[in-house]
Amino acid sequence: MTGQIIPADNHVVRTVGKEKWDEVQMESGTKVRIANDEFLPREDHPPGTGPEESVSVDWLEYFSGTLPIQLRQVRDAVAARRPSGKVGKQAQLAVVVVGDVHAAAKKGGKQVRVKTTGDETDPSHSGIYGLGPYDHIISQEIALRAVAYPAYPANP
Amino acid sequence: METAEIAQQILGKQARIKHAVAVASAVASGSVGDDEQPASYFTIGQDYTTSENQKQPMVVDLGSDSTLGSIVILVPSAGMLPPESGQIEAAVYFSPGSWQSDVFERWNVVSLFEGWRPTLFREYTEDLEKEDLEVDEGSPAAGTIDQLTNELRSGSDPQLAQISAQLETAKSYLPSRTVDRLKRRFEFLFEPEEEEEIRISPGSVAQLLRFLRQDRKFRCPSIFITDRQNVKAIWQASENKIFWIEFEPSGDVTYLAFFPNEKRSDGVERQSALSTVEDVLDRAKQAGAVSWMRK
C-alpha cells in the first residue's frame, strides 16, 4: 500500500536510545539534544543490503489526545514492532515538525518525503525518505529542531 | 579452525591470562591494522614518557573473561605496517566469548597510539595484587589496579572496565571534572537496559582523549555513540555554534561545524568534512569554535 504524505504542520517522532541523546551545556542553559545521526538512514541496514531506505519515525497526529497521551501511544507502537517488544527506560521521544524536516533538507539542496510506510497493522509508522547516510548538515538541522521528551516521564 | 586452535598455532601456547604487565614503558592504546578495529590492549599508569613513571609497571587489562586470553610479542607482517614504521614489535590478545571474539585473525598488528614502539609484558594468570607488582601503596598505578580488580571481580562490563581504565590514565593530563563527567556518561551508557547492549570502541575513546589532551581548557563535550560504535563528542553553545567530532579508532575523524557568518543570508556557515584527529583542532580554530569549546 502506498504511504500517506504527512502534512507539513504535523509532527513525526523519532524514538532515541540513550546513546543518542545527552545533556548539552548551551549558553541558554543545559538542554537535552539529539545526535544528528538519529535523523540519518543507516549505512547498511538491513546488513548487506546497503543504505537504509528511510529514517523510521512515527506520525504523532495519527494518535489523538493530549501530547503526553499521543507520545505514550507512539512509544507503545514502537515497542510493539520491535523484536524485544520494548522501548528502553532511558529512551527519549524526539518530536519534530514535518515542515522543519522539509526546510532542513531544502537548505542542504535535497527534497525529502515524509510519509507513512503504508503498513495497515502499524498505521503511525512513517519514514523520512530521500536522505543519505552522510547528509550530516541536513540531519544536524533536523536534530536542532527536535524537541525531546522522556519515553517514560517521571509524572505520566 | 577454532579460535583457540589458531591461538595455539600462532602463540605456541594456550594461556589463561587475566592481566599482563608491561615491563617496558611506551605503549598506549591504538587501532588495529587497516581494519580500524578497536585496540586490543591499553596501558594503565601515568605519563610513561617521564623517567619517574617508567619505574611504575603498566597493566594491560585483558577483560573479565577468564576463560582465555593471551598476549604475545610479534613482528607484524610488513604489508600491514604503516610506511616507514620499520620492523617493530606489537602486542595482541584475544578472549573468545567476549565481545571481541571474532576478530583475532585480523588483530595481528596493532598500531600504537603515538607511533610504533616495542613492548614487553609479564603475564599474570591470577587476579592482580599490588604486592605482586611491587607497586607503591597510594601511587596512581596502585589505585588503578584496585579499580580494575574490583571491576573485574564484580563482573561489570569488560568494555566499561577498559574505558574506565583509559579514563583513569587520562587523569594525569585532563582536568578531573572532565574525566569524572566522561566516566559518569559511560557508566550511564553501560547501565543494563532491555534494549540491545551498547558497544563502544575503546580505540575511539582513546582518540577522543587524545584530542582533549591538546587543550586542557576544553570543557567536557556531550558524548554520543554512533552505530559504528564510535564516540561522537559535541560542543554546542547555541543553534549556530556547534562543533562535533566522530572519532574513528584509526585516528580518522568526521567533523561538523556550524558557526556565525553574518555575510550569509541566514547568518550561519555550515561545514562537514573528513579529517584526522591531528588536524581537526585546526579546523575548529578556523571555524572560531575553540572559544566556546573552552570553559
Side-chain angles (χ1 to χ4, degrees), chain A residues 65-149:
Chain A
T66 61
L67 179 62
I69 292 170
Q70 288 174 305
L71 291 175
R72 195 170 65 218
Q73 292 176 95
V74 167
R75 184 190 71 201
D76 292 345
V78 172
R81 66 171 175 262
R82 287 184 172 177
S84 65
K86 294 174 180 172
V87 168
K89 294 283 184 221
Q90 304 290 353
Q92 296 273 338
L93 301 175
V95 179
V96 62
V97 179
V98 171
D100 285 346
V101 176
H102 289 299
K106 190 176 178 186
K107 197 174 279 184
K110 288 210 169 185
Q111 192 167 20
V112 296
R113 284 160 290 125
V114 185
K115 61 177 189 172
T116 62
T117 60
D119 182 347
E120 291 179 352
T121 63
D122 191 5
S124 76
H125 192 204
S126 306
I128 301 171
Y129 296 79
L131 292 178
Y134 307 108
D135 284 328
H136 295 299
I137 290 175
I138 295 174
S139 58
Q140 183 63 63
E141 289 281 352
I142 298 172
L144 279 175
R145 278 146 189 80
V147 179
Y149 299 90

Side-chain angles (χ1 to χ4, degrees), chain A residues 18-28 33-37 42-43 82 84 86-91 107 136-137 140-141 144-145, chain B residues 181 185 188-189 191 193-195 198 219-220 222-228 232 236-239 241-242 244 254 256 258 266 270-272:
Chain A
K18 63 182 178 181
E19 75 278 18
K20 297 293 178 72
W21 65 266
D22 195 5
E23 291 181 342
V24 177
Q25 297 170 41
M26 299 174 63
E27 289 168 347
S28 55
R33 305 307 296 186
I34 308 297
N36 71 298
D37 33 329
R42 286 170 281 191
E43 288 177 278
R82 287 184 172 177
S84 65
K86 294 174 180 172
V87 168
K89 294 283 184 221
Q90 304 290 353
K107 197 174 279 184
H136 295 299
I137 290 175
Q140 183 63 63
E141 289 281 352
L144 279 175
R145 278 146 189 80
Chain B
R181 203 278 178 187
R185 176 62 174 160
F188 172 72
L189 292 175
E191 281 175 9
E193 276 254 32
E194 298 91 340
E195 289 301 289
I198 290 169
R219 59 190 166 89
C220 186
S222 302
I223 297 294
F224 302 79
I225 309 302
T226 70
D227 293 333
R228 293 190 292 179
K232 178 182 282 188
Q236 179 175 358
S238 64
E239 294 210 347
K241 292 178 183 173
I242 303 171
W244 63 243
T254 304
L256 174 141
F258 282 14
D266 60 3
R270 301 163 180 83
Q271 297 175 355
S272 178

Side-chain angles (χ1 to χ4, degrees), chain B residues 4-245:
Chain B
E5 292 175 294
I6 297 170
Q8 279 186 303
Q9 275 200 0
I10 296 177
L11 307 181
K13 60 184 178 180
Q14 181 169 333
R16 297 174 65 83
I17 301 168
K18 286 188 173 181
H19 307 275
V21 175
V23 294
S25 60
V27 179
S29 57
S31 57
V32 179
D34 52 6
D35 289 312
E36 299 182 3
Q37 294 290 334
S40 59
Y41 70 93
F42 57 96
T43 60
I44 307 303
Q46 295 302 292
D47 186 344
Y48 31 79
T49 59
T50 65
S51 58
E52 181 184 346
N53 284 312
Q54 284 178 17
K55 296 173 187 170
Q56 292 285 353
M58 281 174 281
V59 181
V60 178
D61 168 29
L62 295 184
S64 62
D65 181 357
S66 61
T67 58
L68 182 64
S70 295
I71 195 156
V72 68
I73 309 302
L74 53 82
V75 179
S77 61
M80 294 182 70
L81 287 169
E84 301 178 6
S85 59
Q87 295 289 309
I88 52 85
E89 295 170 310
V92 297
Y93 86 94
F94 67 103
S95 51
S98 77
W99 61 282
Q100 297 149 324
S101 61
D102 61 344
V103 296
F104 176 69
E105 286 178 276
R106 289 180 291 172
W107 286 25
N108 57 347
V109 180
V110 176
S111 66
L112 304 181
F113 185 63
E114 290 174 330
W116 293 72
R117 296 169 180 172
T119 309
L120 293 171
F121 296 92
R122 193 161 65 227
E123 298 164 349
Y124 284 82
T125 56
E126 303 298 329
D127 284 337
L128 282 174
E129 299 294 344
K130 290 191 290 293
E131 305 79 59
D132 297 335
L133 299 174
E134 299 175 356
V135 174
D136 294 336
E137 193 67 48
S139 69
T144 303
I145 291 167
D146 282 341
Q147 180 194 346
L148 263 179
T149 305
N150 290 336
E151 285 175 351
L152 294 176
R153 283 176 177 159
S154 71
S156 67
D157 191 300
Q159 289 183 85
L160 179 58
Q162 190 168 353
I163 291 169
S164 295
Q166 287 175 290
L167 295 174
E168 197 66 27
T169 304
K171 282 183 177 174
S172 64
Y173 55 83
L174 290 181
S176 57
R177 64 175 168 274
T178 298
V179 176
D180 291 344
R181 203 278 178 187
L182 289 172
K183 192 167 186 208
R184 283 198 302 276
R185 176 62 174 160
F186 286 117
E187 286 172 348
F188 172 72
L189 292 175
F190 281 109
E191 281 175 9
E193 276 254 32
E194 298 91 340
E195 289 301 289
E196 62 185 71
E197 65 181 80
I198 290 169
R199 294 183 175 184
I200 303 174
S201 158
S204 178
V205 175
Q207 298 297 349
L208 164 71
L209 297 174
R210 187 179 172 192
F211 176 78
L212 293 175
R213 191 175 188 168
Q214 296 178 83
D215 190 336
R216 279 180 59 88
K217 291 180 180 173
F218 281 146
R219 59 190 166 89
C220 186
S222 302
I223 297 294
F224 302 79
I225 309 302
T226 70
D227 293 333
R228 293 190 292 179
Q229 303 175 19
N230 293 330
V231 172
K232 178 182 282 188
I234 301 187
W235 291 263
Q236 179 175 358
S238 64
E239 294 210 347
N240 61 2
K241 292 178 183 173
I242 303 171
F243 198 86
W244 63 243
I245 310 168

Side-chain angles (χ1 to χ4, degrees), chain A residues 4-35:
Chain A
Q4 178 183 346
I5 298 291
I6 300 177
D9 61 351
N10 279 206
H11 301 75
V12 287
V13 184
R14 172 75 178 172
T15 304
V16 180
K18 63 182 178 181
E19 75 278 18
K20 297 293 178 72
W21 65 266
D22 195 5
E23 291 181 342
V24 177
Q25 297 170 41
M26 299 174 63
E27 289 168 347
S28 55
T30 301
K31 291 182 180 174
V32 170
R33 305 307 296 186
I34 308 297

